[in-house]
Amino acid sequence: MSERGQAFFRLSVAGALVALAGLGWWSLGDSAFDVSTLRDVRDTIFHQVQQTPELAALAFIAAYLLVAALALPGALVLTLLGGALFGIGPGVVLVALASSLGALLSFGVVRWIAGRTLRNRLAARLAPIANGIERDGAYYLLTLRVVPVFPFFLVNVLVALTPIRAWTFYWVSLIGMLPATLVYVNAGHQLGSLNTMSGLLTPGLIGALALLGVFPLVARRLLPGIARRIGLLIRGVRANRRWRGQRPHRFERDLIVIGAGAAGLVAANIAASLRAKVTLIEREAMGGDCLNTGCVPSKALIRLANRVREERLFTEQGRGGGGISSGTTARPDLAVLLDRVRATIDRIAPHDSVERYRALGVECLRGQARVLSPWTVELTPAEGGARERLHARHLIIATGAEPVVPEITGLAPGRALTTQTLWTIRELPQRFLVLGGGPVGCELAQAFQRLGSAVTLVERAERLLPREEPEASAEVRRALEADGVRVLTGATLESVQDGTRAHVLGSLSQAVIEFDQLLCALGRRSRVEGVGLDGLGLARDADGTLRVDDWMRTSEPGVFACGDVATADRLTHVAGQMAWHAAFNTLFGGLWPIRVDRRAIPRCVFTDPEVARVGLTRGEAEHAGIKVVCTRFDMSALDRAIIEEQTRGFVMVLTAQGSDRIVGATVVGARAGELISLFTLAIRERLGLRRLMSMMIAYPGWADAGRAVASQWQREHTPEFVLTWLERWHRWRRR
């Protein structure tokens, strides 16, 4: 049969099933949910059950299969009827078998009718469920089954459109529906034994009805946690079977943390503060990339570059504004500036030092770690010497990330600078080429332009900062070009000639750009090589990032991961939040696991003006199917911005349509990285714009922009008829 014929046949079968289900709903109607039906049916057929119990059981299963497979009304009454006719024990067995087989039949029919084409077409909409099943497998489906908020037939349909195996679907459904089956069969048994009205007051029936009422609440709150623990127990058993003979009988340590960057330091600190015995292993410098080559040095250099620009502007203003133009003053000595950057790092380094962490109770070891099993790490000391094997009950992988450097035709290996090697140069480049228009590329392009380099910025996307709102991207581009940066968007670097001539191809043109230094700011990838993680078989995303759940657990029980190695949000504060949860859950996850909250993650680009955001952009909200309303307040109307002569930028807040609930916020301007904290708190604590409007802000303050945008929203959303009636009321009072 051709594909078109198969599709027509599937549609015909689907139409017939829908018609049959509709006929069942029409014929059964509300009577299927009338519990009084139980007594009538029970009296009619109870003697037949006693005469031929085997035949009655088969008939019951067949009826339940039909109702469950076609999603007909009556599954609840049949469950109660099973308890009334067969008792609690046999009734639970029959209902569990019939409901799970009915679910499997419904699952198979939907999968067969939908076909691969329809499943692929709906893949985007089903991505959350498919990702959950891919990430947590049967345990995700188990959670869907044990929480009554998800309808029985809807779970069958949606899961059938994911790649899960039929056998897995069956046994998980069988186990997941058992708690509800027990409750409802017991209630049916109690109702079935009711002979007089006085029987309503028996303890058994009262208890059954009470359990029936509280079960949805209990199931929603407790059963998902129980399902997770069952899943962890199963995974632990499988892990012990896989690593048979390698699990130590006793442990020298509670926790080994590999990597002393932002995430590793926080994890070790938290665990030690909880009096656990912790070993922290780092092969390079304490503090990781953030302290030594990332956040701290880049922000220190940005501050110095801004000061150079301010001094240049003061010089120009002192000469009446027509004197020395930007770029013609003496260029600063980069070596001196980088020495000051180094001094800044040295002042912060004691916070992350070996001495401080040893004082906190952390065993700090320097060397190369290699994971041999979920409990064993082999350490090669940096100072030389024999290798040592360390054992701990849990491991935390916090190895961070490293810059991405693509192969560029004509450019010698190691010739391109990255954020790790940028700090080794001693002379300010005359011509500086930056690849990448993300946060790092924009920040450093502006900084080097202000220091005196002639900077060209090349971005593959059609605009800078493609993850941010288009208005924010446009504002940053205007600021860079005002400083003198040459910005090329929608362009790629094709090749390099003679080591100093870059051939850049754009959508409409091409250019040859001469440079002295080239900086690659094209993002970062997880650092997973050289630590022995391949032997563990940890699940990874397509870009190599370690896959973790909301409790920071990897696919291997006992092994946790946090920070840049385990998230695409490669931000220091995100790493710290993940590390806090990872450390706590390694020690107490079996008793009281804590889930990381990803609802409100702030981010900031430290250009001038700064760009900060929390929550969704308009594009992300549209992709998620969320209708939003945008409210904007310009910084030019803020008194503090006028006083500081920093009026560029705006505050943009997205609220859910018909509500003052904040979905996302973007701030562009001075102090944006601080002001975004107000909206981060509002999203996390579910504070609407009306609550922000009622806050008292010290005057003149930057935070007043938050209250101002809330007032703007209130003015735009006050119904016109209310204002009309208020005007009439005031007119009446003046008489």
Side-chain angles (χ1 to χ4, degrees):
M1 185 182 297
S2 64
E3 291 186 4
R4 181 174 297 182
Q6 292 179 358
F8 179 77
F9 182 64
R10 290 193 181 103
L11 287 176
S12 301
V13 174
L17 291 176
V18 170
L20 184 59
L23 180 63
W25 279 88
W26 177 78
S27 60
L28 294 174
D30 295 335
S31 63
F33 298 101
D34 186 2
V35 179
S36 63
T37 306
L38 175 66
R39 290 291 305 158
D40 298 334
V41 175
R42 194 250 187 190
D43 293 339
T44 302
I45 64 175
F46 185 70
H47 69 280
Q48 296 180 358
V49 173
Q50 293 179 327
Q51 294 287 335
T52 56
E54 295 84 1
L55 183 60
L58 290 176
F60 177 82
I61 292 177
Y64 209 117
L65 274 174
L66 180 64
V67 169
L70 296 180
L72 295 174
L76 175 60
V77 168
L78 281 176
T79 303
L80 296 172
L81 187 62
L85 294 177
F86 302 100
I88 296 179
V92 168
V93 173
L94 289 175
V95 171
L97 181 63
S99 61
S100 59
L101 288 176
L104 181 62
L105 181 58
S106 176
F107 171 90
V109 169
V110 171
R111 175 166 286 188
W112 177 76
I113 291 175
R116 186 180 302 274
T117 303
L118 182 58
R119 293 203 302 270
N120 293 338
R121 186 174 301 174
L122 297 176
R125 295 184 179 273
L126 294 170
I129 296 177
N131 292 338
I133 290 177
E134 183 181 1
R135 182 179 64 250
D136 298 323
Y139 318 120
Y140 186 86
L141 175 59
L142 187 62
T143 303
L144 295 179
R145 280 300 188 201
V146 299
V147 181
V149 72
F150 299 104
F152 172 83
F153 71 91
L154 186 60
V155 174
N156 300 338
V157 172
L158 294 180
V159 176
L161 300 176
T162 68
I164 193 171
R165 293 187 303 172
W167 167 244
T168 303
F169 173 84
Y170 174 73
W171 72 261
V172 171
S173 297
L174 178 64
I175 296 175
M177 292 186 293
L178 268 180
T181 299
L182 284 169
V183 172
Y184 286 102
V185 168
N186 176 57
H189 175 69
Q190 297 296 331
L191 288 171
S193 60
L194 180 64
N195 293 316
T196 63
M197 293 301 294
S198 61
L200 289 170
L201 302 178
T202 61
L205 182 56
I206 293 175
L209 295 177
L211 185 60
L212 200 63
V214 302
F215 175 73
L217 179 63
V218 173
R220 185 179 299 182
R221 292 187 174 274
L222 298 182
L223 291 184
I226 296 174
R228 285 195 300 271
R229 283 170 171 78
I230 293 174
L232 287 175
L233 180 62
I234 295 174
R235 289 167 61 186
V237 171
R238 289 178 178 174
N240 289 334
R241 190 179 303 162
R242 177 186 176 191
W243 301 97
R244 182 172 297 168
Q246 298 188 43
R247 189 179 192 275
H249 297 290
R250 296 187 60 186
F251 293 99
E252 309 157 359
R253 302 162 178 82
D254 298 294
L255 180 63
I256 294 176
V257 181
I258 302 176
L265 291 172
V266 172
N269 190 348
I270 294 298
S273 67
L274 296 173
R275 297 300 185 266
K277 188 171 183 182
V278 187
T279 296
L280 177 64
I281 302 175
E282 173 57 55
R283 66 182 180 185
E284 296 176 357
M286 294 280 286
D289 293 335
C290 180
L291 173 64
N292 299 288
T293 62
C295 306
V296 173
S298 65
K299 304 312 171 281
L301 183 66
I302 290 171
R303 183 188 71 84
L304 294 172
N306 291 342
R307 181 161 181 185
V308 168
R309 176 179 178 273
E310 289 173 2
E311 292 177 353
R312 184 178 294 128
L313 291 176
F314 278 126
T315 302
E316 294 175 3
Q317 293 171 358
R319 299 191 180 190
I324 303 174
S325 60
S326 178
T328 62
T329 56
R331 284 153 42 98
D333 188 335
L334 184 63
V336 174
L337 295 181
L338 292 185
D339 287 341
R340 295 183 63 178
V341 170
R342 183 72 252 175
T344 302
I345 295 174
D346 292 340
R347 286 195 294 272
I348 297 178
H351 302 166
D352 301 340
S353 64
V354 170
E355 292 75 18
R356 176 174 182 252
Y357 274 78
R358 283 178 177 167
L360 293 173
V362 178
E363 180 187 25
C364 299
L365 302 177
R366 187 163 180 265
Q368 177 64 50
R370 182 169 173 267
V371 179
L372 302 180
S373 77
W375 312 278
T376 306
V377 174
E378 183 181 74
L379 174 66
T380 303
E383 297 80 9
R387 295 178 178 176
E388 182 182 3
R389 291 196 174 185
L390 312 176
H391 304 286
R393 186 174 295 277
H394 294 288
L395 306 180
I396 291 182
I397 309 299
T399 49
E402 57 192 6
V404 174
V405 182
E407 292 185 4
I408 301 174
T409 304
L411 190 67
R415 175 77 169 80
L417 296 173
T418 67
T419 52
Q420 290 183 325
T421 59
L422 173 66
W423 316 105
T424 62
I425 65 175
R426 306 300 290 173
E427 293 184 3
L428 187 67
Q430 184 73 34
R431 301 162 301 182
F432 197 45
L433 177 60
V434 178
L435 298 183
V440 174
C442 290
E443 290 174 359
L444 293 178
Q446 188 178 50
F448 273 88
Q449 182 71 37
R450 291 184 169 186
L451 290 175
S453 296
V455 179
T456 301
L457 176 61
V458 178
E459 165 59 33
R460 182 187 298 268
E462 294 301 322
R463 60 184 176 92
L464 302 178
L465 304 176
R467 294 187 62 183
E468 308 304 327
E469 295 281 8
E471 294 89 340
S473 300
E475 193 69 50
V476 170
R477 178 165 188 158
R478 282 193 292 268
L480 293 182
E481 291 178 338
D483 284 332
V485 178
R486 182 186 180 188
V487 179
L488 301 177
T489 53
T492 56
L493 176 61
E494 292 294 309
S495 63
V496 172
Q497 184 179 359
D498 300 329
T500 59
R501 294 166 57 85
H503 292 264
V504 176
L505 180 63
S507 56
L508 299 176
S509 62
Q510 56 183 351
V512 176
I513 302 171
E514 296 186 352
F515 64 90
D516 301 313
Q517 295 284 1
L518 184 150
L519 172 68
C520 275
L522 300 173
R524 298 166 65 81
R525 58 169 169 249
S526 298
R527 190 180 287 121
V528 294
E529 304 300 331
V531 195
L533 300 183
D534 291 337
L536 289 181
L538 302 182
R540 303 182 190 179
D541 292 328
D543 61 353
T545 302
L546 292 184
R547 190 176 300 165
V548 295
D549 59 15
D550 289 339
W551 295 267
M552 300 299 105
R553 296 184 294 246
T554 67
S555 57
E556 181 66 44
V559 180
F560 291 66
C562 56
D564 289 358
V565 74
T567 180
D569 291 313
R570 295 189 168 95
L571 304 167
T572 297
H573 46 281
V574 173
Q577 184 81 344
M578 295 174 67
W580 191 97
H581 287 78
F584 187 90
N585 288 330
T586 55
L587 302 176
F588 305 108
L591 301 173
W592 185 21
I594 298 180
R595 177 187 302 205
V596 69
D597 188 350
R598 303 177 188 269
R599 288 177 300 158
I601 299 178
R603 61 189 77 243
C604 184
V605 183
F606 292 91
T607 49
D608 180 18
E610 295 179 0
V611 176
R613 175 169 66 89
V614 64
L616 303 179
T617 63
R618 283 172 296 181
E620 292 170 344
E622 182 180 359
H623 181 73
I626 302 174
K627 294 183 178 180
V628 296
V629 175
C630 178
T631 305
R632 173 171 168 153
F633 173 80
D634 289 330
M635 287 292 189
S636 59
L638 183 68
D639 291 356
R640 184 55 185 266
I642 296 172
I643 294 171
E644 298 278 350
E645 296 183 349
Q646 294 180 325
T647 56
R648 286 188 303 184
F650 55 86
V651 179
M652 179 186 293
V653 177
L654 303 182
T655 51
Q657 192 173 54
S659 167
D660 71 334
R661 180 175 62 88
I662 302 173
V663 175
T666 295
V667 182
V668 178
R671 312 295 194 279
E674 308 300 327
L675 183 54
I676 201 66
S677 299
L678 181 66
F679 298 102
T680 302
L681 179 64
I683 292 177
R684 180 180 174 86
E685 300 301 324
R686 297 181 173 86
L687 303 177
L689 285 179
R690 290 188 180 91
R691 297 288 299 277
L692 290 187
M693 186 178 62
S694 65
M695 288 180 59
M696 186 178 294
I697 305 294
Y699 179 86
W702 288 100
D704 201 38
R707 188 190 59 79
V709 75
S711 300
Q712 177 76 15
W713 178 90
Q714 183 65 61
R715 285 192 297 272
E716 294 176 358
H717 291 80
T718 301
E720 187 63 30
F721 76 89
V722 174
L723 298 177
T724 301
W725 278 103
L726 284 175
E727 183 180 0
R728 293 176 180 177
W729 184 71
H730 289 307
R731 188 186 306 126
W732 174 78
R733 292 191 64 196
R734 291 194 299 268
R735 292 178 180 176

